[in-house]
Amino acid sequence: MTFVVTSACIDVKDTACLGECPVDCIYEGARKLYINPNECIDCGACESACPVDAIMSVRLVPQAEAEFVVDEARFFTTILPGRDAPVGDPGGAGRIGPIRVDTPFVAGYGR
């Protein structure tokens, strides 16, 4: 995994980063966006496009946000509420559209 979307995106979900991603690896949940770690090419275009500084390299994620690194991968590998199968690696968010559901961690995240 190269980049991760942290708590600053929750309930803001500014989509400026979507148009900057050359491989379409940013998926839309209900409360935040998620970067597919298997599809990301580590270009950093999304990071500079994020107006709330929610996107960062996993190497720079502060300890207080560390769970977001694990949870980002979880979004793609576990069966999310209301779905029959994991999101997986569909080869781009545009192929499947908004997911409109979050991991239990993000769904229950308090502000």
Side-chain angles (χ1 to χ4, degrees), residues 24-83:
D24 192 29
C25 71
I26 305 171
Y27 293 73
E28 187 176 346
R31 295 183 71 194
K32 78 180 263 303
L33 302 173
Y34 298 83
I35 297 173
N36 187 311
N38 295 326
E39 295 175 357
C40 179
I41 60 170
D42 197 22
C43 71
C46 60
E47 181 180 31
S48 60
C50 181
V52 296
D53 297 324
I55 300 173
M56 61 185 68
S57 167
V58 296
R59 296 180 306 276
L60 302 176
V61 173
Q63 186 60 35
E65 299 275 312
E67 183 62 25
F68 284 93
V69 175
V70 175
D71 197 62
E72 198 89 343
R74 193 179 297 134
F75 181 82
F76 299 97
T77 59
T78 63
I79 299 174
L80 300 170
R83 296 185 54 90

